[in-house]
């Protein structure tokens, strides 16, 4: 694993700093700014990681340590009971299955349609292409309730609420625009010469797409799938509105409604549930971190 | 590494905007229909699931669609009544004001801290930079539903670690039993912290990526001329960062304007609608109060406001070298 930025640029920046140090001598830029920077960095890191630490820390505490008026910063007797309770006393597995069904369904449809559309929008020039791209970008910026209200009304009439298929359709609507947008970036990067060589060899358009372009764009398809996975996996609002039966909840809805038979909110259980729910996303973030900054800042994924 | 990730950065014209545009394939006469075939499936889905619903939303905003209509399917066309109703409703205007102020506060918070962190990252050694980056990735990766739950726990009356910490500082007296979400101001502080915490990583890492593209020769020359670090930052680095900074600001405005999960899960828009931004207000009107027509009208107005910002975004994207 490496840092997000290109190592080359980092090395350059370091080199400059050294030269500058030598030139300006120790007058202004001695060791002190480094120490100040490091102190700020440490404070920042502690503050920023604390909520994550507190979630994990709480997840491993027995109930009496969770409900302590003086916080316990390190579990005295760490336990897995919160995690075990999530598996045995809640609908975790059932709702996990719902999430997986819906997310996989969304990915298959959004990626297949998105790959074809983004190929068209990147490898061909035709009238209306720019308009389509602008519409895609604009749709991506719509407020959540703009699609939710009308989709709910229509889907409710068609019997598509409380239903996998309906939720998949809603997620396809949400993920297709950015899937097209992100994959387009990968298609654009493929040199035209490859396509032309294949054309000279007599390959049909479909053949070129299938045998030349798609294999080359596979990393882009994978990255886009992960973006779409994260978006569908994390959605709360649509699932909460569409799924009324507890047996149809997806994991985010399960996480919010999380209570065990014991009275009151079980924070230990809730934090264990949060860990279980966040884990896949964190893993994927670490895998695709190189693509994250560019893809997300391209408006790909809503904050 | 001839990775597509590097080209993606260039292609998307954001972090490392400066790179030559990709050559375009020439127009081919024989294959005019082929791209249309490729577009058709996605196009049909987008029309059916996005454009038609948007049209339906606008239509609904001109009807009295309510709870009764949900069961009977019957509703009446009432023209602009929903709009006159919301425009005459002080709650709606308060919601607009709240949304604008809160969005501004969140955007300023994320951008300022993000810029600071980006600058800090350039001054750190490899190890420390790595640590900060990993920390930020964790904060960023947390799904908003999970981080909102964690926030509820951090700020829990009686057992919340933040309440305990603040009490220990003796600055605000005994904070132990303060219920943050029951006080409008504290609810905002709590949600603001949550959103800034989650929003800073992307901004910081993007700006840092852009900052490493600044030609070191400029900085060196300025240092030789005796310019201070602050002056160098404001007159040189910031000039290079401007396009990226502008894009990130517009995107943050759009994201923060649309924030739903964090507000809903921390305060449900309460107490007394005090934290109900437009999205929450529309949702509550349409789904909790089942005044679907009114909720639609609020959403239409919200959408129009956002489209203005989006137009800025698209214009800037085009200007920053994105070849549509």
């Amino acid at each position: 694993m490496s840092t997000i930025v290109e190592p080359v640029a980092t090395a350059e920046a370091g080199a400059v700093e050294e030269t500058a140090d030598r030139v300006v001598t120790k007058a202004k830029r001695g060791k002190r700014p480094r120490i100040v920077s490091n102190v700020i960095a440490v404070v920042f890191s502690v503050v920023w990681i604390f909520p994550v630490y507190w979630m994990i820390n709480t997840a491993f505490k027995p109930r009496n340590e969770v409900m302590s008026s003086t916080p316990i910063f390190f579990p005295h007797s760490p336990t897995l009971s919160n995690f075990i309770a999530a598996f045995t006393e809640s609908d975790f597995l059932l709702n996990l299955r719902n999430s997986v069904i819906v997310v996989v369904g969304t990915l298959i449809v959004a990626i297949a349609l998105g790959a074809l559309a983004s190929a068209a929008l990147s490898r061909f020039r035709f009238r209306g292409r720019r308009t389509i791209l602008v519409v895609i970008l604009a749709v991506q910026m719509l407020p959540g309730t703009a699609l939710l209200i009308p989709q709910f009304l229509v889907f409710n009439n068609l019997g598509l609420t409380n239903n996998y298929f309906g939720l998949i359709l809603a997620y396809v609507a949400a993920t297709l625009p950015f899937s097209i947008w992100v994959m387009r970036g990968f298609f654009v990067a493929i040199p035209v010469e490859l396509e032309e060589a294949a054309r000279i060899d007599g390959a049909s358009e479909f053949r070129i797409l299938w045998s030349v372009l798609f294999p080359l764009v596979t990393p882009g398809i994978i990255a886009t799938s992960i973006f779409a996975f994260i978006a569908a996996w994390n959605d709360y609002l649509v699932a909460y509105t569409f799924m009324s039966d507890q047996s149809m909840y997806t994991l985010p809805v399960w996480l919010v409604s999380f209570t065990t038979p014991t009275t009151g909110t079980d924070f230990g259980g809730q934090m264990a549930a949060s860990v279980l729910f966040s884990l896949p996303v964190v893993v994927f973030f670490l895998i695709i971190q190189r693509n994250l900054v560019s893809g997300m800042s391209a408006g790909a994924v809503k904050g | 590494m001839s990775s597509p990730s590097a080209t993606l950065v260039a292609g998307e014209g954001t972090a490392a905007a400066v790179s030559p545009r990709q050559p375009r394939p020439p127009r081919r006469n024989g294959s005019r229909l082929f791209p249309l075939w490729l577009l058709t499936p996605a196009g049909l889905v987008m029309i059916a699931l996005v454009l038609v619903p948007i049209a339906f939303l606008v239509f609904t905003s001109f009807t009295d669609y309510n709870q009764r209509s949900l069961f009977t399917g019957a509703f009446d066309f009432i023209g602009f009544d929903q709009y006159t109703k919301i425009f005459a409703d002080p709650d709606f205007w308060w919601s607009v004001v709240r949304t604008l102020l809160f969005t501004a506060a969140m955007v300023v918070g994320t951008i300022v801290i993000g810029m600071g962190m980006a600058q800090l990252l350039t001054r750190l050694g490899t190890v420390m930079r790595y640590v900060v980056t990993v920390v930020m990735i964790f904060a960023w990766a947390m799904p908003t539903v999970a981080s909102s739950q964690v926030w509820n726990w951090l700020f829990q009356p009686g057992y919340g670690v933040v309440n305990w910490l603040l009490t220990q500082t003796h600055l605000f007296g005994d904070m132990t039993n303060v219920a943050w979400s029951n006080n409008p101001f504290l609810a905002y502080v709590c949600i603001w912290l949550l959103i800034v915490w989650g929003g800073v990583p992307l901004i910081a890492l993007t700006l840092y990526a852009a900052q490493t593209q600044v030609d070191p020769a400029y900085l060196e020359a300025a240092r030789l001329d005796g310019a201070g670090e602050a002056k160098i930052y404001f007159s040189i680095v910031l000039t290079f960062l401007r396009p990226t900074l502008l894009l990130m600001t517009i995107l943050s405005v759009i994201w923060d304007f649309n924030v739903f999960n964090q507000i809903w899960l921390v305060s449900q828009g309460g107490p007394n609608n005090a934290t109900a931004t437009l999205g929450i207000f529309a949702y509550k009107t349409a789904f909790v109060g089942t005044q679907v027509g009114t909720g639609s009208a609020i959403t239409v107005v919200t959408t129009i406001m956002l489209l203005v910002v989006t137009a800025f975004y698209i214009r800037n994207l085009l200007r920053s070298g994105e070849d549509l």
Side-chain angles (χ1 to χ4, degrees):
Chain A
M1 205 175 80
S2 59
T3 46
I4 285 205
V5 269
E6 299 298 317
V8 187
T10 322
E12 273 171 10
V16 175
E17 230 162 279
E18 273 163 42
T19 358
D21 271 340
R22 244 179 287 129
V23 174
V24 191
T25 62
K26 292 119 214 163
K28 265 186 111 174
R29 304 172 31 78
K31 280 253 185 291
R32 218 141 58 95
R34 257 288 159 78
I35 292 173
V36 174
S37 300
N38 279 321
V39 170
I40 300 174
V42 169
V43 172
F44 175 88
S45 301
V46 170
V47 172
W48 245 252
I49 206 67
F50 187 76
V52 180
Y53 171 71
W54 203 243
M55 166 181 77
I56 298 169
N57 174 36
T58 308
F60 286 102
K61 280 179 190 169
R63 193 177 169 82
N64 64 324
E65 288 187 28
V66 172
M67 291 309 199
S68 147
S69 47
T70 308
I72 294 168
F73 284 86
F74 197 79
H76 299 315
S77 41
T79 167
L80 286 176
S81 63
N82 292 319
F83 290 96
I84 293 166
F87 279 98
T88 55
E89 290 172 42
S90 82
D91 288 333
F92 173 72
L93 290 172
L94 179 67
N95 296 340
L96 170 68
R97 201 191 63 166
N98 294 343
S99 268
V100 169
I101 291 171
V102 173
V103 169
V104 170
T106 305
L107 286 188
I108 292 172
V109 181
I111 298 300
L113 302 188
L116 296 179
S118 58
L121 291 169
S122 58
R123 310 304 292 181
F124 299 91
R125 286 201 160 286
F126 51 90
R127 271 158 62 102
R129 196 180 55 94
R130 280 174 70 107
T131 317
I132 294 173
L133 285 170
V134 169
V135 169
I136 287 172
L137 269 180
V139 164
Q140 193 50 36
M141 304 301 163
L142 288 175
T145 43
L147 283 178
L148 185 69
I149 294 176
Q151 278 182 348
F152 178 79
L153 297 181
V154 174
F155 287 20
N156 198 36
N157 278 331
L158 297 174
L160 287 175
T161 46
N162 219 13
N163 175 304
Y164 294 130
F165 186 59
L167 195 56
I168 289 173
L169 287 182
Y171 288 165
V172 166
T175 50
L176 187 56
F178 81 71
S179 298
I180 295 175
W181 190 254
V182 175
M183 271 191 271
R184 201 188 69 99
F186 286 88
F187 271 113
V188 167
I190 301 172
V192 199
E193 289 75 20
L194 287 173
E195 214 179 316
E196 274 163 1
R199 192 163 290 115
I200 290 165
D201 289 345
S204 67
E205 292 291 349
F206 181 77
R207 183 72 204 247
I208 294 170
L209 188 67
W210 188 255
S211 313
V212 180
L213 296 180
F214 278 165
L216 285 170
V217 94
T218 308
I221 292 176
I222 294 170
T224 313
S225 309
I226 295 174
F227 281 131
F229 161 82
I230 292 172
W233 180 264
N234 285 355
D235 167 76
Y236 168 75
L237 182 57
V238 183
Y240 171 67
T241 313
F242 275 34
M243 301 304 212
S244 45
D245 280 0
Q246 209 165 329
S247 63
M248 292 301 286
Y249 283 178
T250 55
L251 281 188
V253 187
W254 165 79
L255 177 57
V256 172
S257 67
F258 189 86
T259 41
T260 50
T262 44
T263 48
T265 311
D266 170 15
F267 286 104
Q270 212 170 45
M271 290 305 108
S274 300
V275 171
L276 291 174
F277 170 64
S278 307
L279 211 56
V281 183
V282 174
V283 169
F284 278 122
F285 258 71
L286 293 173
I287 294 172
I288 57 157
Q289 47 156 332
R290 276 177 171 278
N291 292 334
L292 280 171
V293 171
S294 51
M296 293 219 178
S297 60
V301 175
K302 295 180 186 177
Chain B
M1 188 174 146
S2 67
S3 69
S5 62
T7 31
L8 178 65
V9 173
E12 302 302 78
T14 50
V18 248
S19 116
R21 292 177 185 186
Q22 291 293 329
R24 283 276 157 200
R27 182 192 283 272
R28 289 181 300 270
N29 288 329
S31 55
R32 273 224 184 125
L33 283 178
F34 190 65
L36 297 181
W37 282 117
L38 295 179
L39 270 178
T40 306
L44 289 178
V45 167
M46 289 264 291
I47 290 168
L49 293 176
V50 178
L51 300 182
V52 170
I54 294 291
F56 192 62
L57 175 82
V58 176
F59 171 75
T60 313
S61 74
F62 291 107
T63 69
D64 66 349
Y65 208 111
N66 58 20
Q67 189 158 22
R68 167 184 58 93
S69 321
L70 273 179
F71 292 103
T72 62
F75 53 85
D76 291 316
F77 189 77
I78 55 165
F80 282 92
D81 282 12
Q82 300 287 12
Y83 290 94
T84 34
K85 192 166 122 195
I86 58 169
F87 290 145
D89 181 4
D91 278 352
F92 169 77
W93 290 111
W94 276 118
S95 185
V96 172
V97 172
R98 260 197 297 273
T99 309
L100 295 177
L101 290 179
F102 198 38
T103 303
M106 293 188 287
V107 171
V108 170
T110 25
I111 295 286
V112 168
I113 300 175
M115 282 169 78
M117 286 317 293
Q119 175 64 14
L120 186 75
L121 280 170
T122 64
R123 294 161 169 270
L124 294 175
T126 320
V127 177
M128 206 58 223
R129 184 166 54 228
Y130 184 78
V131 170
V132 175
T133 308
V134 169
V135 163
M136 288 206 276
I137 289 178
F138 270 93
W140 182 16
M142 281 278 281
T144 54
V145 178
S147 60
S148 303
Q149 297 295 80
V150 173
W151 238 248
N152 283 335
W153 170 225
L154 289 170
F155 291 81
Q156 189 64 29
Y159 305 102
V161 65
V162 173
N163 291 23
W164 178 84
L165 266 176
L166 287 173
T167 306
Q168 297 307 303
T169 62
H170 298 292
L171 291 174
F172 309 97
D174 187 3
M175 295 279 290
T176 312
N177 288 313
V178 171
W180 293 70
S181 55
N182 285 348
N183 172 311
F185 176 72
L186 293 181
Y188 270 119
V189 171
C190 180
I191 296 165
W192 185 86
L193 288 169
L194 170 57
I195 285 161
V196 169
W197 176 80
V200 161
L202 172 66
I203 310 283
L205 295 170
T206 313
L207 288 178
Y208 173 59
Q211 213 164 329
T212 55
Q213 306 294 315
V214 178
D215 188 345
Y218 289 106
L219 307 181
E220 201 177 337
R223 280 199 191 105
L224 281 171
D225 288 345
E229 288 303 308
K231 184 150 176 69
I232 290 175
Y233 183 75
F234 285 104
S235 54
I236 300 176
V237 178
L238 221 49
T239 316
F240 279 96
L241 286 188
R242 254 188 62 190
T244 316
L245 197 56
L246 195 60
L247 275 182
M248 294 322 287
T249 309
I250 300 172
L251 273 179
S252 302
V253 170
I254 295 168
W255 288 330
D256 292 345
F257 201 94
N258 280 331
V259 160
F260 186 94
N261 286 357
Q262 293 94 322
I263 302 179
W264 185 253
L265 296 175
V266 169
S267 69
Q268 298 252 325
N272 266 328
N273 273 343
T275 54
T277 51
L278 281 167
I280 302 275
F281 191 52
Y283 185 86
K284 280 181 107 168
T285 310
F287 291 103
V288 183
T290 48
Q291 297 299 318
V292 182
T294 320
S296 303
I298 300 168
T299 304
V300 169
V301 176
T302 313
T303 306
I304 291 169
M305 292 168 78
L306 269 170
L307 280 180
V308 175
V309 190
T310 306
F312 269 107
Y313 168 68
I314 292 172
R315 209 183 58 157
N316 265 289
L317 209 59
L318 293 171
R319 279 208 186 147
S320 73
E322 179 67 33
D323 182 21
L324 280 186

